[in-house]
């Protein structure tokens, strides 16, 4: 028997040596930080043009930049921090393997000598030095005491959740320190003679200790020994015991990077194929509460779900989506089955469950069909008044990610937010504002309610909250006069948290750009943002493209703060960004049909390519314009440095286009033929010959009012001598004047409905900034609005030319 015992101890020794090896590695390895990606949530920079809808439009969208958060514990359910979408997890998924356990190994207390225990204690102490705060102090930023949020309220909707989630609503049978000492004495006495049931019982008992004594317990050598024996008996714990121990670790406040947890994760992954779906969901939720990312274990859970889709009812589905959200990833092959189950069970969901589903889909960046999104939000809208503030905000987050403008829901929110704003946390208010800005939905009731509430919450704002609120309000054009304390309170909050920008530089740039949209320029914060140290920090980012934001801020300072003597970006960096932006514009905006048609028509109107320049007049505004110069008499002046020969259209063969010799513009005559007259009056060629086609000698250019010429912009066209005179180019236009004194510089913009707030004539923040800057740079903006120009695209060339003529010459002073 002795020989048999000796042989069966060999695998145990290898197991423990691996355990000690992991301890050694943990002592020297840095703590991994969970930085955010960008929301994802496809959104790479704070300002960016998005590829358009069928009309060729483009959108602005925010970058959901954010924070790393400390491990969350459900005990602190009053916090909203745990449900921030920006917690980042590791997404590496690799299958584990089944390793046979040795149920006959014999433990021996002699292997735990006093010297080894001391070393083990030191190892655990080093881990505990890095451990996170106790459960009573997990939140890094104070939450206003009057704001209470139950982030797991959906688990109270059905009794079935009890088998899949731990109950942290109250700690049963709390014990005093004296009772904990008695348990620790038993540990010291039993040592190697402890059974698996003893380990489970002791850890569960100690987890009931009052929270203010937990740090004292974790530093006790006997507790360290108990953890060591829990590893020794790990493979002999039953499934319920293993889950009990894991739950005790939540209450004990074990840091998520603790070495012991890595071994428990491996054991649970090894047993995953033998665990029920409810046990797997419970274990996944416990890992979430510990704050540890366990991608390999979650992969086992997802594999089990695929094989047991028929067993998934409403509570299982909601809990699964909650876990998927906390894991920040939904396997691609699981999206379609989950969507089908969701639509199947949708009508059975309670309000808080709908909120949990939306949050899970949002956090995991899971894209479901537009039809599914609409149905989910329809369901939320049906009982919006019954939803908690937290669930309501989660639906808004989901809408923001899906970029679906659900008008009935937003109209309901316009009523609910003012009614609830006094009790919504600052993070919730930030997400409401951010969703409105992402959807370009400007509602005075929502914005005023948030603006009135925020100043009292500003001391509790993370820099992320302050900056994204500034961005949202600036994007939607909320003027400072409507709430005098809103912007100053957030600027003060940013000044109080300058240290955070060393870790999250993107937030500072987001906030400053939002302020710039409404002409607010806190010079101390701008000095920080443009300082060489900060610029170096921001430009080193590999995940976020902050150079564009720095460039926009720098050029804004140059135009709007002429007295500025602070730091500026280097010319090399600016040139790099300009080149990058122009390449992007050439491949996107410049290729839009409405832009190309406007450029071509303007060239025909003004006499050739050299009179129209398609370029980024102000590159920091991220968009292009069609630049045209006119002299004091209204005559076009060449602006394009690289003109190319214009090929005459076969439909206008009688029109003589100008040549391009030394920037000299030739006279232009238009001969009105039968075909041209028929085209102008929008009718078929007449069968009877007209009189001899006269050649008109037009006079100097004049403005054509929309009421002149009868039905100029209808399908029919009443041709008058005035219109013929206007359409024909003035023959007195000789060569361009040599000096440009009195030159009028026009920036002709082909606008999109995405430049405006939803169903309004209010420009979004970036475009307000651009027009302000064009004016400061000496340009007159001529807008080809989307309502007018998109309808003109379906009309004749003549009508387009007449429309453009009106727009250009009506803009002259």
């Amino acid at each position: 028997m002795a020989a048999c015992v000796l042989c069966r101890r060999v695998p145990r020794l290898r197991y423990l040596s691996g355990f000690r090896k992991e301890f050694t590695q943990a002592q020297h390895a840095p703590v991994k930080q969970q930085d955010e990606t960008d929301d994802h949530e496809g959104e790479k920079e704070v300002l960016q043009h998005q590829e358009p809808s069928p009309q060729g439009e483009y959108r602005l969208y925010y970058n959901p930049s954010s924070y790393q958060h400390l491990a969350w514990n459900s005990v602190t359910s009053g916090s909203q921090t745990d449900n921030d979408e920006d917690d980042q997890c590791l997404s590496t998924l690799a299958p584990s393997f089944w390793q046979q356990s040795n149920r006959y190994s014999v433990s021996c207390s002699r292997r735990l000598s006093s010297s080894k225990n001391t070393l083990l204690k030191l190892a655990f102490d080093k881990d505990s030095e890095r451990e996170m705060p106790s459960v009573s102090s997990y939140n890094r930023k104070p939450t206003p005491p009057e704001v209470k949020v139950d982030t797991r309220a959906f688990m109270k909707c059905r009794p079935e959740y009890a088998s899949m989630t731990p109950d942290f609503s109250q700690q049963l049978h709390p014990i005093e320190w004296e009772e904990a000492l008695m348990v620790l004495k038993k540990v010291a006495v039993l040592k190697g003679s402890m059974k698996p049931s003893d380990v489970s019982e002791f850890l569960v008992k100690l987890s009931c200790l009052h929270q203010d004594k937990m740090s004292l317990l974790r530093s006790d050598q006997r507790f360290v020994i108990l953890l060591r024996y829990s590893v020794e008996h790990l493979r002999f714990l039953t499934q319920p015991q293993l889950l009990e121990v894991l739950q005790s670790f939540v209450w004990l406040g074990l840091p998520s990077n603790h070495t012991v947890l890595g071994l428990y994760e491996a054991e649970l992954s090894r047993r995953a194929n033998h665990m029920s779906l409810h046990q797997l969901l419970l274990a996944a939720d416990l890992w979430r509460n510990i704050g540890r990312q366990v991608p390999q274990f979650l992969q086992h859970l997802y594999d089990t779900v695929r094989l047991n889709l028929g067993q998934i009812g409403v509570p299982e589905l909601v809990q699964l989506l909650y876990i998927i959200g906390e894991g920040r990833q939904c396997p691609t092959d699981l999206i379609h089955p989950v969507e089908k189950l969701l639509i199947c069970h949708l009508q059975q969901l309670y309000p808080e469950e709908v909120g949990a589903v939306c949050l899970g889909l949002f956090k995991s960046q899971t894209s479901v069909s537009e039809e599914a999104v609409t149905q989910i939000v329809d369901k939320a809208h049906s009982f919006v008044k019954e939803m908690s503030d937290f669930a309501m905000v989660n639906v808004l987050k989901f809408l923001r990610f899906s970029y679906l403008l659900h008008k009935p829901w937003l109209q309901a929110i316009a009523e609910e937010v003012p009614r609830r704003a006094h009790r919504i946390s600052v993070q919730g208010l930030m997400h409401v504002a951010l969703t409105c800005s992402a959807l370009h939905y400007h509602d005075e009731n929502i914005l005023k309610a948030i603006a009135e509430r925020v100043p009292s919450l500003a001391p509790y704002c993370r820099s992320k909250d302050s900056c994204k609120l500034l961005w949202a309000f600036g994007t939607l054009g909320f003027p400072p006069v409507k709430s005098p304390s809103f912007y100053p309170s957030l600027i003060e909050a940013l000044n109080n948290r300058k240290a955070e920008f060393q870790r999250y530089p993107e937030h500072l740039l987001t906030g400053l750009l939002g302020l710039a949209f409404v002409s607010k320029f806190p010079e101390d914060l701008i000095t920080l943002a443009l300082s060489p140290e900060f610029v170096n920090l921001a430009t080193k980012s590999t995940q976020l493209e902050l150079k564009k934001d720095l460039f926009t801020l720098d050029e804004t300072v140059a135009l709007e703060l002429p007295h500025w003597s602070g730091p500026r970006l280097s010319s090399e960096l600016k040139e790099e960004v300009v080149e990058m932006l122009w390449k992007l514009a050439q491949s996107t905006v410049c290729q839009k049909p409405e832009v190309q048609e406007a450029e071509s028509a303007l060239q025909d109107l003004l006499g050739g390519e050299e009179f129209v320049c398609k370029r980024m007049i102000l590159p920091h505004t991220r968009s292009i314009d069609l630049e045209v110069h006119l002299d004091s008499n209204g005559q076009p002046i060449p602006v394009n440095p690289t003109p190319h020969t214009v090929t005459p259209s076969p439909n206008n063969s009688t029109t003589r286009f100008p040549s391009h010799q030394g920037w000299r513009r030739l006279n232009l005559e238009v001969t009105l033929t039968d075909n041209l007259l028929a085209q102008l009056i929008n009718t078929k060629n007449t069968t009877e010959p007209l009189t001899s086609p006269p050649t008109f000698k037009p006079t100097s250019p004049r403005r054509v009012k929309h009421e002149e010429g009868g039905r100029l912009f209808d399908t029919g066209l009443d041709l008058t001598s005035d219109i013929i005179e206007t359409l024909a180019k003035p023959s007195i236009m000789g060569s361009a004047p040599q000096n440009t004194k009195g030159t009028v510089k026009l920036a002709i913009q082909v606008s999109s409905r995405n430049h405006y707030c939803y169903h309004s004539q209010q420009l979004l923040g970036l475009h307000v900034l651009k027009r302000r800057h064009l004016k400061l740079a000496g340009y007159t903006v001529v807008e080809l609005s989307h309502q007018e120009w998109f309808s003109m695209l379906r009309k004749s060339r003549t009508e387009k030319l007449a429309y453009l003529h009106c727009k250009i010459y009506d803009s002259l002073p």
Side-chain angles (χ1 to χ4, degrees), residues 18-30 127 130 259:
F19 172 67
R20 284 191 288 270
K21 180 179 179 181
E22 288 198 30
F23 264 126
T24 305
Q25 293 173 345
Q27 293 178 37
H28 300 288
D127 268 338
R130 301 194 302 267
T259 308

Side-chain angles (χ1 to χ4, degrees), residues 121-185:
K121 176 181 181 297
L122 291 174
F124 273 92
D125 284 348
K126 289 180 179 180
D127 268 338
S128 63
E129 288 174 5
R130 301 194 302 267
E131 73 183 31
M132 299 174 185
S134 63
V135 289
S136 62
S137 60
Y138 267 125
N139 294 330
R140 296 185 301 167
K141 303 295 181 292
T143 302
E146 69 274 14
V147 178
K148 295 182 179 179
V149 179
D150 186 357
T151 60
R152 294 162 67 89
F154 74 93
M155 296 179 180
K156 300 175 183 177
C157 293
R158 305 172 192 269
E160 292 87 347
Y161 286 109
S163 63
M164 297 178 286
T165 64
D167 182 11
F168 291 110
S169 58
Q170 58 179 354
Q171 193 173 13
L172 301 177
H173 310 299
I175 65 174
E176 300 297 332
W177 177 242
E178 290 74 17
E179 294 181 68
L181 285 176
M182 293 178 62
V183 174
L184 293 174
K185 287 179 181 177

Side-chain angles (χ1 to χ4, degrees), residues 18-196:
F19 172 67
R20 284 191 288 270
K21 180 179 179 181
E22 288 198 30
F23 264 126
T24 305
Q25 293 173 345
Q27 293 178 37
H28 300 288
V31 180
K32 291 183 178 179
Q33 303 297 338
Q34 298 176 357
D35 296 332
E36 83 163 341
T37 62
D38 238 275
D39 314 303
H40 314 34
E41 39 221 282
E43 329 147 8
K44 291 299 179 188
E45 67 263 359
V46 175
L47 299 169
Q48 178 174 327
H49 293 304
Q50 181 173 335
E51 274 305 297
S53 52
Q55 291 79 14
E57 298 172 0
Y58 56 98
R59 298 172 178 150
L60 286 173
Y61 65 99
Y62 60 92
N63 172 32
S65 32
S66 73
Y67 278 86
Q68 171 226 10
H69 294 297
L70 298 178
W72 175 87
N73 193 301
S74 287
V75 180
T76 60
S77 60
S79 167
Q80 199 176 29
T81 304
D82 68 297
N83 278 284
D84 198 304
E85 77 278 12
D86 303 310
D87 290 331
Q88 169 71 8
C89 72
L90 300 175
S91 59
T92 304
L93 301 176
S96 64
F97 56 92
W98 180 271
Q99 185 178 357
Q100 295 295 329
S101 62
N102 185 347
R103 300 187 60 83
Y104 301 98
S105 298
V106 176
S107 300
C108 178
S109 62
R110 286 177 296 180
R111 285 188 289 164
L112 295 174
S113 65
S114 59
S115 62
K116 288 185 178 180
N117 286 342
T118 302
L119 293 174
L120 184 60
K121 176 181 181 297
L122 291 174
F124 273 92
D125 284 348
K126 289 180 179 180
D127 268 338
S128 63
E129 288 174 5
R130 301 194 302 267
E131 73 183 31
M132 299 174 185
S134 63
V135 289
S136 62
S137 60
Y138 267 125
N139 294 330
R140 296 185 301 167
K141 303 295 181 292
T143 302
E146 69 274 14
V147 178
K148 295 182 179 179
V149 179
D150 186 357
T151 60
R152 294 162 67 89
F154 74 93
M155 296 179 180
K156 300 175 183 177
C157 293
R158 305 172 192 269
E160 292 87 347
Y161 286 109
S163 63
M164 297 178 286
T165 64
D167 182 11
F168 291 110
S169 58
Q170 58 179 354
Q171 193 173 13
L172 301 177
H173 310 299
I175 65 174
E176 300 297 332
W177 177 242
E178 290 74 17
E179 294 181 68
L181 285 176
M182 293 178 62
V183 174
L184 293 174
K185 287 179 181 177
K186 291 182 181 179
V187 170
V189 171
L190 291 176
K191 291 185 179 178
S193 60
M194 271 192 292
K195 300 176 183 178

